[in-house]
Amino acid sequence: MRGAAILTREIMAQEIERKYLVGDTAFLSGLTGILFKQGYVATREGYTVRIRIEGERAAIALKGLSEGISRSEYEYQIPAGDAEAMLAEFCERPFIEKTRYRLAWRDKVWEIDVFSGDNEGLVVAEIELHCEEEVVEKPPWLGQEVSGDARYYNANLVHNPYCQWR
């Protein structure tokens, strides 16, 4: 029976992150990224339920309302077959498709997302923080900070894809 596996809580409580635009992606040359495909079951006034396939791993996440650069987040690993079925049956289109690169810089790991599909051309870098006031050294390839700009939230890119911004 599909979905019979017991879900394990993987990430709980609070997500605190900053998000920046990236212009020149030459620094990614030679790095291997992971393909992501994700969809949203529900988005309501800043709350989201996300289904994600990340390489061979799949997860469901519930995210709360953003307060500054923080919000609650609960993520659980689910069987990949269930994730595929949920994406097909329950999620809004278009899906968010991107390749994620993880890059260590000054004792921090940056996640760089190179979007494809309807969001082709958009490249963002995110850094998870321990607290909102944490100061991190910024790599030279970072551009403008867009942490508070809701247009760059993945859930909003479904309804207003980057290809429509121009």
Side-chain angles (χ1 to χ4, degrees), residues 47-87:
Y47 297 92
T48 61
V49 177
R50 180 192 69 209
I51 307 298
R52 174 186 279 170
I53 298 173
E54 173 182 338
E56 301 296 316
R57 179 185 178 279
I60 185 169
L62 293 86
K63 296 187 174 207
L65 191 61
S66 292
E67 296 179 24
I69 60 171
S70 302
R71 65 179 169 179
S72 60
E73 177 183 48
Y74 299 87
E75 183 173 299
Y76 305 88
Q77 189 166 345
I78 59 174
D82 287 4
E84 286 286 358
M86 289 177 196
L87 282 167

Side-chain angles (χ1 to χ4, degrees), residues 28 31-37 96-102 111-117 122-124:
L28 296 174
L31 298 178
T32 302
I34 298 172
L35 294 176
F36 278 55
K37 180 179 177 182
I96 299 298
E97 300 169 290
K98 59 189 177 183
T99 301
R100 174 166 288 172
Y101 300 87
R102 288 185 171 90
E111 294 179 335
I112 299 94
D113 290 340
V114 179
F115 289 82
S116 55
L122 179 59
V123 182
V124 298

Side-chain angles (χ1 to χ4, degrees), residues 78-95:
I78 59 174
D82 287 4
E84 286 286 358
M86 289 177 196
L87 282 167
E89 185 175 349
F90 299 117
C91 293
E92 301 173 88
R93 305 291 193 286
F95 294 131

Side-chain angles (χ1 to χ4, degrees), residues 6 11 17 36 74 79 83 98 111 114 127 146 149 158 162:
I6 295 175
I11 298 173
E17 69 181 16
F36 278 55
Y74 299 87
K98 59 189 177 183
E111 294 179 335
V114 179
I127 184 73
V146 293
D149 190 335
V158 172
Y162 188 67

